Amino acid sequence: MLSICIPHYNFINPSLFENLLQQCRSAKIKFEIIIIDDASLTNNKTYLKSFTQPEFQIFFLDKNIGRSAIRNLLATKAQYPHLLFLDADAEIISKDFISNYINQLDDRIISGGRVYPAELPKPNYYLHYKYGSQVEQHAQSQFQSNNFLVPKSAFSTLVFDEKIKGYGYEDVLFGLGAKRLGIELKKVNNPVKHIQLKTNEEFVNDMEQALRNLTELITKKEDWQIAEEVSISSFYQKLKKYRLTFLLSIGTGKILRKTRALMLGSSLISATSLIAVYKLYYYHSLQQT
């Protein structure tokens, strides 16, 4: 009935798999838990070998293939008609997590969402924590790839775009593809807790990579629907329409350097504002190249 598909990379999280196994067994459904490790460091993946129960399928890749390709590979190994994709850095926070999804098995794509820990992290993790808890956690998007249920037949038609390298916007493209095919997207209140935070520097690097991906998707693929779907590119298009983007060209390099430096040492008070400013100026800089 249910194939749980988990891409795994450099994060030790045995409680996720233990909890899923327990909840699925309690629900008395046919299920499998498929884990593919995407070439993690040895010390971060050896523990997976302890999951020897028959419900587990665990695979280890010798070479990292990335966020899109590994999800597509997981789907090809699934035997049941419904796929539940979860990121490996998730924590199950509801005893009814699996049963909530079992009650939703139909032809729609259903996203359960994410929440962030209530405890403040160390300052070196403030950016991800602040953005995640104040922006991502409350996003109105009907599709989020960290925690979603999809019919295998629909996934086989859609798949993730493997041309997108690195971090960023493969989920937006997948959601738009579903809309184009007339597949309903639904968001429900069945979140997992996101427990792996990136350092401030890792967060900024991923943000830059994501904006490069977005720019390439819009310009090379001429996918203007993506431009309207994503808030940063949608806002930029409005500035361009009213010929205001020239304002962003005044001192761009200096503003980027200063804002980046502030973000890497930011306090919780200024984090989201700095992120917004940096994203806008960095996206503008990409349009000039």
Side-chain angles (χ1 to χ4, degrees), residues 1-2 80-84 98-111 148-155 182-188:
M1 176 187 289
L2 184 66
Y80 293 120
H82 293 275
L83 313 179
L84 172 58
I98 289 297
S99 60
N100 287 340
Y101 271 133
I102 292 172
N103 294 331
Q104 303 276 353
L105 296 180
D106 53 32
D107 295 331
R108 296 172 296 180
I109 297 175
I110 299 171
S111 296
F148 73 99
L149 181 71
V150 57
K152 185 176 181 181
S153 57
F155 187 94
I183 301 171
E184 183 181 351
L185 298 170
K186 181 182 179 182
K187 188 173 183 180
V188 299

Side-chain angles (χ1 to χ4, degrees), residues 5-238:
C5 303
I6 303 175
H8 182 275
Y9 183 67
N10 278 336
F11 189 68
I12 300 174
N13 191 18
S15 62
L16 170 64
F17 312 122
E18 293 163 358
N19 206 329
L20 289 170
L21 180 65
Q22 180 183 2
Q23 287 200 21
C24 287
R25 283 180 172 176
S26 296
K28 297 181 179 180
I29 59 171
K30 292 181 179 179
F31 73 98
E32 61 183 349
I33 301 174
I34 309 169
I35 305 166
I36 301 181
D37 179 80
D38 201 7
S40 297
L41 297 173
T42 300
N43 291 341
N44 292 332
K45 63 184 177 183
T46 303
Y47 81 101
L48 293 174
K49 295 179 180 179
S50 66
F51 292 97
T52 57
Q53 297 90 336
E55 294 92 343
F56 283 98
Q57 293 187 58
I58 301 175
F59 304 90
F60 297 91
L61 302 183
D62 295 327
K63 182 179 180 181
N64 185 277
I65 62 175
R67 295 163 57 87
S68 293
I70 198 168
R71 288 181 171 88
N72 294 340
L73 181 59
L74 280 159
T76 65
K77 296 185 179 297
Q79 64 173 310
Y80 293 120
H82 293 275
L83 313 179
L84 172 58
F85 281 87
L86 289 171
D87 284 355
D89 56 5
E91 177 185 331
I92 305 300
I93 56 177
S94 169
K95 61 182 178 58
D96 299 318
F97 178 75
I98 289 297
S99 60
N100 287 340
Y101 271 133
I102 292 172
N103 294 331
Q104 303 276 353
L105 296 180
D106 53 32
D107 295 331
R108 296 172 296 180
I109 297 175
I110 299 171
S111 296
R114 62 163 69 90
V115 295
Y116 280 76
E119 305 82 11
L120 289 179
K122 295 179 181 179
N124 194 37
Y125 296 89
Y126 275 176
L127 283 181
H128 190 183
Y129 175 79
K130 189 67 178 287
Y131 186 80
S133 59
Q134 293 205 349
V135 179
E136 279 187 348
Q137 186 170 309
H138 304 288
Q140 297 302 309
S141 172
Q142 292 176 303
F143 178 73
Q144 292 177 320
S145 61
N146 72 299
N147 170 23
F148 73 99
L149 181 71
V150 57
K152 185 176 181 181
S153 57
F155 187 94
S156 300
T157 302
L158 284 166
V159 303
F160 283 91
D161 189 339
E162 297 185 17
K163 294 179 182 178
I164 299 177
K165 303 300 180 183
Y167 177 85
Y169 294 107
E170 70 280 351
D171 53 347
V172 175
L173 198 60
F174 187 92
L176 286 175
K179 290 180 181 179
R180 288 167 181 161
L181 292 173
I183 301 171
E184 183 181 351
L185 298 170
K186 181 182 179 182
K187 188 173 183 180
V188 299
N189 184 28
N190 197 29
V192 293
K193 185 186 292 184
H194 187 98
I195 57 175
Q196 183 185 27
L197 292 177
K198 300 166 187 171
T199 66
N200 294 342
E201 187 166 2
E202 289 169 340
F203 181 84
V204 173
N205 289 340
D206 278 352
M207 180 170 61
E208 292 174 347
Q209 177 63 62
L211 291 172
R212 290 194 295 271
N213 283 349
L214 177 62
T215 299
E216 186 171 346
L217 285 170
I218 294 171
T219 56
K220 291 189 177 181
K221 297 188 69 168
E222 296 186 350
D223 198 328
W224 299 107
Q225 191 174 357
I226 293 177
E228 292 299 318
E229 186 82 7
V230 178
S231 59
I232 186 68
S233 50
S234 177
F235 179 69
Y236 190 82
Q237 290 301 316
K238 290 182 175 66

Side-chain angles (χ1 to χ4, degrees), residues 220-286:
K220 291 189 177 181
K221 297 188 69 168
E222 296 186 350
D223 198 328
W224 299 107
Q225 191 174 357
I226 293 177
E228 292 299 318
E229 186 82 7
V230 178
S231 59
I232 186 68
S233 50
S234 177
F235 179 69
Y236 190 82
Q237 290 301 316
K238 290 182 175 66
L239 292 178
K240 193 172 182 180
K241 178 180 178 181
Y242 293 106
R243 299 181 180 179
L244 295 174
T245 55
F246 76 93
L247 295 171
L248 299 173
S249 297
I250 302 172
T252 304
K254 183 178 181 180
I255 291 172
L256 283 172
R257 288 190 297 273
K258 182 65 174 178
T259 308
R260 197 180 206 279
L262 288 171
M263 283 194 298
L264 294 182
S266 74
S267 67
L268 281 171
I269 297 174
S270 60
T272 51
S273 297
L274 289 170
I275 290 168
V277 170
Y278 190 81
K279 286 178 71 172
L280 180 59
Y281 274 88
Y282 190 82
Y283 185 77
H284 173 70
S285 71
L286 294 174

